[in-house]
Amino acid sequence: MSRRGRLLLFGCAGSGLLAVLVIGLHGLPPFGDFHGAYGLLVDRLEPGRRHATDIVTALNFDLRAFDTLGEEFILFASVTGVALLLRHLRDEEDEPPRRSVDDHRFAGASDALRLLSLILIPLLVSLGVYLALHGALTPGGGFQAGVVLAAGPLAILLAGRYLALKRVAPHWAVEALDGIGALAYAAIGLGGLIFASAYLENFLPLGTSGHLLSGGMMPLNSIAVGLEVTGAFLLTWTEFLDQDLLVARGEL
Amino acid sequence: MTALQAVALLLVVAAGTAIVFISDPLRQTLVLSIFGLTLTLLFFVLQAPDVALSQLVVGSVGMPVIILAALRKIAQHASARERHEEDGE
Amino acid sequence: MAFAPFAAAAWLFVIGLYGVVSSQNLVRTVLSLTVVQSSTYLVLLGVGYRHAAKAPIVADIPTTSRLVDPVTQVLVLTDVVIEATVIALLLALVVQAHKRFGTVDPAKLRALRD
Amino acid sequence: MWHLSALPVVIPFLVAPVLVSVGTVVPRWCEDATAVVVALSAVTICLLLAVHAASEPFAYWMGGWRPEHGVAIGIAFSIDPLGAGIAAFAGVMVLAALAYSLRYFDAVGGLFHGLMLLFLAGMVGFCLTGDLFDLVVFFELMSTVAYALTAYRIEERAPIQGAINFAITNSIGGYAMFIAVAMLYARTDELNMAQIGAVLDGHPADALVIVAMVLLLLGFLTKAAAVPLHFWLADAHAVAPVPVCVLFSGVMVELGIYAVARVYWVMFAGAMAPHTDPLRAILVALGATTAVLGAVMCVLQRHIKRLLAFSTIGHVGMFVCGVGLLGAKALAGVAVFIVGHGLTKAALFMICGILLHRFRTVDEYDLHGRGREVPVAGALFVVGGILLAAPPPFTEFQGKALIEGSASDVGYGWLLVVFAIVSALTAGAVLRVAGRVFYGWGPREGPDPRQARAAQERVDETREDRGRTPPLMLIVPGVLLATGVVGGLVPGAVAWVARSAARFADHPAYAQWVLHAHSVHWPPAPPMHVETIDVIIGMLTLVAAFGVAAAGLFGRPLLRRLPRRVRAGGRGAVVGLRGLHSGHIGDYIAWWTTGAGLLGGACLLALR
């Protein structure tokens, strides 16, 4: 189809679809007037049952923990997929040639940027740990924490030390982190099957509401997700950046 | 709907529409991160702090890094290819 | 006004599709896809919102106060993760496409013409 | 039994990360063995669940969160015999694909095995879950894995393009489903499908419910590749590695059909009850169009994998018709047909793999007569072609006859003719390939330049010497075909499926056993009488298939005798039809939008 024909077809079809969507969405309760029995029931039940104060986290890591399990494995599958798609091919050199540290400096990184990154790293790490641990209490949780934690090593990269990044976060370790996180989440659920009656059922003491280790298995799940997400994002980023270096070498 | 929500919604629509109509991928990436921030703002005023935080870390760190790395790589392939062709002549 | 978030969502869905259809650069195609996806956030959170309600965190407020719906928020959280995964995979594919075809213009990818 | 319910999903989840992480260190046989054992255990558990659920279906509440005050607050696996049976079938397909790739496939580290296991988990979870959002999550898991596996051969150009088209089209289908979930949640305050169905029941379907249903159907029909959402399928199936194609054509696409049936019967059957006739008309029209287009495109192909892919679209069309008839008997027919077709199509793809392994190409003309080197593969290919025509009394015929019987019950007797044509065309195309490749019949022609280029790019999928075919590559498709032949003849097998389908389609009872754990009074199985006319038509279809094959091989001189105007018209139509399948993602999405608009518009107009 020509570009014009394609756009013409879409013009008709798209306005049709827009009409269908608008007609359908018009049946929704007006914005702000939602009743939501499921949510209300959860709001009422959850603090008493599991001693969690962030209802979203409670849903995420307990009531609907199985969705989160699926979600974690979507992430895992995607990272595995990216590794598969960006793998080094036989005709593109197997062994990276040995080079001095300087060769892997990020060209645009000035000393000031490096210093900034160095200051940033501990901040990011502590924020990440805080988020992961306080998931059941305040906004945040394993996923957000994972991305923040992964940003720490990324800052090292921006600070211009690719090899340093490799030393702080070697590929095998990041890969293992990703796998262990995913595995841990699935395995914690198994605890429910063994010590309680159903998969992903809580089998840990609930603790005091508002305290760090409250919410039963929620903090554990949150940490598992945190590990996986840290690994996943780091792997994806380095996968994309790794190939960069490979191509750069090809140019020379 | 409060005024803040209306503003946030408008910003989201404007940024989202802008992404589609910009043709330069680099500028598009920039607008995409702005889009991510407007979404974060909207989620925040819709009383969804967990989601806002998630969107913030993904939209302003996670995705832009991947997109920029991908764009850089595409640019490098392109320049490598050009050089290759010049050498060939 | 009560329909605004949903109208916005319908618009973003279709305009994102327009981006995919009209794109001459696969990176732009992928970024347009994120616009399509963002429409799902708007519908989900728009549905779950309640006027003058607080975020579903019961740490500092009495448990009887009016809260927005937590369920849709959880769904959006999953949605955000799915977005990131799909975009990462697609960009990896686009990078490979550029390597193999030497272009990211979908009209110039000609391995699968029938 | 109850306690096993989550395991067919959880075991692959536990093993996949390990395989991916240690894949580079452990020897290959270790990965193979682990993956096979995991798949085998998943199949076993699913079969146990299916058998158990046949007497008493049950809901398994994750995390022990049972319904409170009759409101579901957790996620349930709703285990009924048909769902668990399809899950087991998906497991069997994964097992077959793994067994086939033991000696064939050059796996990258543990990535291939890990992804295959995740694919398994995704499919099983998709079949078993009773929660609407969980269904979407497993849909996305399946899709994510599938995108990556499609582009497994990154050194070639076609797989990259195929994977991009696949990923973009299916993602958009997924987004439509997210909006549908939000709409249904807003209406019913629930995510459990049984409960949504119960809430929707008492009220006539309004625009919101109709559009939500359309959006859900769009997602599933994109996966199932109904016209005009189908463009990705041929691209992806033509380029994915053979073991992956086995899963795509054998079961993944069919799961889209399964999900259509699931959401209709569980959620919408009550609300749509006053409108069954128009809905049936819409779905049957959609299915018949898909079937005919797939069959015609199938005959036009010379790339064998692409040919098989279009034949899958033809069959999907028949499945959509079957589900669209909205009756338990037709549903039983679809289930039987899906199993028979899956086994046959998987075997045919595997034989394609043998050709690819040996000759590096799947271009029908390029392979002219070269298949004589592998006579057993040729014989199997012929058997597969014959089975594809669904001749009596084999599995596929049994399924098709049930659908046809159900169709004539509700006044769609003409579907019989459509089915016969589609079966004859697709089977004929396969038999034509068999004749040309394995027996050297028909005139010679030069290789297709584009496929020749692809063959040059192709790095071996194999580790083995290409001079001889590993016996396993013949044994696995042989076993699959034998199962396809025998399966439908096992006494009681089809009756069991029919009974299960009747339970699956019992809308009020479903809510009872899921939400209240009540044991329910079961409806009688639909009568399964096969009409004589079906048998006669079945035989004629097979004859017609041989006719199509012969015409394809030797018919060119006859074609030249046709009047010029007819020939020009025919050529124009063929060029136009091919032109639609341009490989351009923009075109595909424009068509997707068209399909969405049309389906939505038709449903909004007809169902109120």
Side-chain angles (χ1 to χ4, degrees):
Chain A
M1 222 187 311
S2 70
R3 188 173 150 79
R4 179 190 280 266
R6 191 182 314 131
L7 291 178
L8 209 64
L9 177 68
F10 182 81
C12 306
S15 27
L17 179 62
L18 188 65
V20 168
L21 282 174
V22 168
I23 293 172
L25 291 170
H26 235 289
L28 289 173
F31 176 72
D33 286 347
F34 181 56
H35 176 63
Y38 183 179
L40 291 176
L41 190 68
V42 174
D43 286 343
R44 210 170 61 234
L45 286 176
E46 185 58 41
R49 287 286 172 81
R50 288 286 188 265
H51 300 193
T53 52
D54 183 347
I55 312 280
V56 173
T57 307
L59 272 160
N60 218 352
F61 291 129
D62 194 351
L63 280 153
R64 297 190 67 84
F66 197 68
D67 273 350
T68 310
L69 178 74
E71 171 200 312
E72 288 322 301
F73 277 89
I74 292 174
L75 188 60
F76 183 77
S78 147
V79 174
T80 312
V82 169
L84 186 73
L85 296 179
L86 296 182
R87 68 183 184 266
H88 302 175
L89 288 176
R90 270 161 280 184
D91 58 340
E92 293 170 331
E93 288 182 55
D94 278 318
E95 283 298 306
R98 303 226 168 267
R99 299 210 161 202
S100 65
V101 181
D102 278 2
D103 283 345
H104 290 283
R105 283 208 169 174
F106 194 64
S110 65
D111 286 336
L113 182 62
R114 277 188 204 119
L115 188 68
L116 189 70
S117 304
L118 282 180
I119 300 168
L120 213 56
I121 293 162
L123 283 178
L124 285 171
V125 171
S126 41
L127 178 63
V129 172
Y130 175 87
L131 283 173
L133 290 179
H134 288 72
L137 308 174
T138 54
F143 179 76
Q144 294 91 334
V147 187
V148 172
L149 279 176
L154 184 74
I156 301 180
L157 177 76
L158 291 182
R161 304 220 163 236
Y162 186 74
L163 284 190
L165 170 72
K166 286 269 146 187
R167 215 169 297 139
V168 178
H171 193 75
W172 63 267
V174 180
E175 213 169 42
L177 202 63
D178 183 40
I180 288 170
L183 182 68
Y185 194 99
I188 293 168
L190 220 49
L193 196 59
I194 296 166
F195 301 109
S197 69
Y199 186 70
L200 282 169
E201 185 161 351
N202 185 51
F203 61 99
L204 294 172
L206 296 175
T208 319
S209 200
H211 281 215
L212 193 57
L213 287 178
S214 61
M217 64 176 187
M218 279 179 225
L220 274 188
N221 278 344
S222 176
I223 291 169
V225 169
L227 290 180
E228 204 228 316
V229 174
T230 311
F233 270 86
L234 264 183
L235 266 184
T236 310
W237 287 334
T238 47
E239 238 14 283
F240 272 94
L241 293 166
D242 248 352
Q243 261 230 340
D244 228 12
L245 294 173
L246 198 76
V247 173
R249 273 204 308 279
E251 278 179 36
L252 294 172
Chain B
M1 180 180 267
T2 66
L4 202 54
Q5 286 166 347
V7 170
L9 191 65
L10 266 178
L11 286 176
V12 166
V13 171
T17 311
I19 291 180
V20 170
F21 286 100
I22 292 173
S23 56
D24 172 35
L26 206 60
R27 212 166 293 165
Q28 224 180 358
T29 315
L30 183 74
V31 180
L32 184 81
S33 15
I34 295 172
F35 182 53
L37 289 177
T38 60
L39 278 174
T40 306
L41 177 67
L42 181 71
F43 296 166
F44 199 75
V45 296
L46 289 180
Q47 300 294 337
D50 283 274
V51 186
L53 200 55
S54 228
Q55 174 62 37
L56 183 69
V57 292
V58 171
S60 67
V61 187
M63 305 273 299
V65 172
I66 296 176
I67 298 171
L68 288 175
L71 282 176
R72 199 166 111 102
K73 208 173 312 182
I74 288 171
Q76 276 172 346
H77 292 174
S79 66
R81 190 175 282 262
E82 270 166 26
R83 205 165 311 165
H84 192 72
E85 277 162 9
E86 276 167 23
D87 290 351
E89 280 166 10
Chain C
M1 225 28 205
F3 187 62
F6 307 124
W11 168 255
L12 286 178
F13 194 95
V14 175
I15 204 70
L17 285 183
Y18 169 78
V20 175
V21 171
S22 67
S23 168
Q24 288 167 308
N25 179 332
L26 282 173
V27 177
R28 184 174 160 223
T29 310
V30 174
L31 298 193
S32 300
L33 213 54
T34 66
V35 178
V36 181
Q37 177 145 34
S38 64
S39 73
T40 65
Y41 306 156
L42 291 195
V43 182
L44 279 166
L45 287 181
V47 161
Y49 182 73
R50 290 193 187 96
H51 283 309
K54 293 201 161 56
I57 294 156
V58 291
D60 309 316
I61 51 174
T63 45
T64 49
S65 59
R66 194 172 148 96
L67 304 177
V68 300
D69 190 68
V71 179
T72 53
Q73 299 197 3
V74 175
L75 307 191
V76 181
L77 279 180
T78 304
D79 205 356
V80 171
V81 178
I82 290 174
E83 179 198 8
T85 61
V86 169
I87 300 307
L89 264 180
L90 269 170
L91 283 175
L93 284 169
V94 171
V95 166
Q96 284 294 356
H98 190 269
K99 212 177 206 170
R100 302 293 155 211
F101 291 90
T103 176
V104 283
D105 183 350
K108 291 184 183 145
L109 308 187
R110 297 195 168 191
L112 288 173
R113 231 148 224 265
D114 201 279
Chain D
M1 185 55 53
W2 204 75
H3 293 289
L4 294 180
S5 308
L7 292 183
V9 176
V10 174
I11 296 174
F13 275 169
L14 286 168
V15 177
V18 179
L19 276 183
V20 170
S21 302
V22 303
T24 43
V25 199
V26 298
R28 167 74 191 262
W29 66 265
C30 234
E31 291 162 19
D32 283 331
T34 318
V36 166
V37 167
V38 169
L40 203 58
S41 64
V43 171
T44 316
I45 296 172
C46 286
L47 283 176
L48 284 173
L49 290 175
V51 170
H52 182 81
S55 54
E56 202 174 344
F58 60 96
Y60 178 82
W61 296 94
M62 298 292 162
W65 289 100
R66 291 160 182 288
E68 305 250 352
H69 317 294
V71 178
I73 51 173
I75 294 172
F77 268 8
S78 305
I79 297 176
D80 70 279
L82 199 68
I86 297 277
F89 177 65
V92 169
M93 282 306 191
V94 172
L95 204 55
L98 283 170
Y100 179 79
S101 36
L102 283 184
R103 306 293 301 167
Y104 163 73
F105 204 65
D106 198 4
V108 179
L111 300 185
F112 175 69
H113 293 84
L115 285 173
M116 289 294 263
L117 290 185
L118 291 177
F119 204 174
L120 171 68
M123 291 193 290
V124 171
F126 188 73
C127 293
L128 297 183
T129 190
D131 186 279
L132 183 58
F133 189 71
D134 205 38
L135 190 73
V136 179
V137 168
F138 278 107
F139 178 92
E140 294 286 345
L141 175 59
M142 232 164 38
S143 306
T144 308
V145 178
Y147 308 152
L149 283 175
T150 304
Y152 196 85
R153 304 257 133 247
I154 52 169
E155 57 278 358
E156 295 168 40
R157 302 184 321 153
I160 305 293
Q161 193 183 351
I164 289 176
N165 291 352
F166 179 20
I168 291 178
T169 316
N170 270 263
S171 300
I172 291 174
Y175 303 152
M177 286 164 59
F178 271 101
I179 293 186
V181 171
M183 292 168 79
L184 288 173
Y185 178 73
R187 170 56 55 86
T188 64
D189 294 354
E190 254 306 332
L191 290 170
N192 183 288
M193 289 195 277
Q195 190 129 34
I196 293 176
V199 178
L200 290 182
D201 268 355
H203 316 278
D206 63 354
L208 179 127
V209 176
I210 293 169
V211 172
M213 183 179 81
V214 167
L215 291 175
L216 272 183
L217 291 189
L218 278 174
F220 296 134
L221 290 176
T222 306
K223 181 118 280 184
V227 171
L229 323 171
H230 69 286
F231 291 95
W232 66 269
L233 184 140
D235 289 0
H237 285 47
V239 299
V242 168
V244 178
C245 285
V246 166
L247 293 185
F248 282 7
S249 252
V251 57
M252 178 185 79
V253 166
E254 286 77 0
L255 286 186
I257 305 286
Y258 164 81
V260 170
R262 176 70 117 183
V263 296
Y264 174 75
W265 288 110
V266 176
M267 297 197 292
F268 300 110
M272 290 292 159
H275 308 291
T276 14
D277 286 335
L279 184 61
R280 185 181 292 139
I282 291 172
L283 289 176
V284 169
L286 181 73
T289 317
T290 307
V292 172
L293 186 99
V296 170
M297 285 303 291
C298 171
V299 174
L300 297 177
Q301 302 302 314
R302 59 185 285 177
H303 182 294
I304 305 175
K305 277 167 84 182
R306 212 168 154 88
L307 180 145
L308 290 177
F310 277 110
S311 125
T312 298
I313 296 180
H315 280 82
V316 160
M318 295 197 262
F319 301 152
V320 173
C321 289
V323 169
L325 288 169
L326 306 177
K329 186 171 159 189
L331 182 66
V334 172
V336 175
F337 203 173
I338 280 180
V339 172
H341 167 262
L343 293 167
T344 310
K345 193 53 69 62
L348 287 171
F349 267 113
M350 287 175 175
I351 297 161
C352 260
I354 296 176
L355 295 173
L356 207 53
H357 164 76
R358 227 167 151 117
F359 309 112
R360 285 187 167 217
T361 178
V362 283
D363 180 6
E364 182 184 342
Y365 286 94
D366 197 8
L367 286 168
H368 189 279
R370 289 160 81 186
R372 288 200 194 95
E373 286 176 36
V374 271
V376 184
L380 288 176
F381 207 76
V382 172
V383 172
I386 292 174
L387 284 180
L388 218 52
F394 304 118
T395 316
E396 280 156 291
F397 170 75
Q398 308 238 12
K400 209 170 94 170
L402 280 175
I403 303 177
E404 287 167 358
S406 172
S408 54
D409 291 347
V410 289
Y412 283 87
W414 54 269
L415 271 184
L416 188 79
V417 183
V418 174
F419 280 25
I421 293 172
V422 171
S423 298
L425 285 176
T426 53
V430 171
L431 290 170
R432 182 194 76 206
V433 169
R436 186 164 284 137
V437 172
F438 294 101
Y439 301 99
W441 294 339
R444 279 172 191 283
E445 213 177 281
D448 174 21
R450 205 173 53 221
Q451 287 198 52
R453 167 164 185 176
Q456 272 176 6
E457 286 175 347
R458 198 157 287 143
V459 177
D460 299 2
E461 278 188 13
T462 52
R463 314 173 279 164
E464 295 276 313
D465 159 35
R466 58 180 65 248
R468 56 177 277 280
T469 306
L472 210 52
M473 290 176 73
L474 287 164
I475 293 172
V476 178
V479 170
L480 290 181
L481 285 174
T483 319
V485 168
V486 178
L489 302 175
V490 174
V494 175
W496 188 87
V497 176
R499 242 185 352 261
S500 309
R503 289 167 187 198
F504 186 93
D506 190 344
H507 174 69
Y510 187 90
Q512 286 298 315
W513 63 260
V514 170
L515 296 174
H516 309 291
H518 292 167
S519 46
V520 282
H521 185 69
W522 289 114
M528 295 189 310
H529 180 64
V530 172
E531 305 279 347
T532 330
I533 178 91
D534 288 332
V535 179
I536 296 170
I537 299 262
M539 296 310 291
L540 286 178
T541 308
L542 184 60
V543 174
F546 279 109
V548 169
L553 288 168
F554 309 111
R556 193 152 298 176
L558 292 176
L559 208 62
R560 287 204 199 98
R561 295 219 190 127
L562 286 173
R564 179 167 298 163
R565 195 172 301 163
V566 175
R567 259 189 297 161
R571 197 174 300 135
V574 167
V575 169
L577 213 50
R578 281 179 183 275
L580 294 182
H581 298 79
S582 59
H584 190 302
I585 184 61
D587 288 354
Y588 290 6
I589 300 308
W591 284 114
W592 190 93
T593 316
T594 311
L598 284 178
L599 188 65
C603 286
L604 278 175
L605 290 175
L607 303 183
R608 276 198 290 180

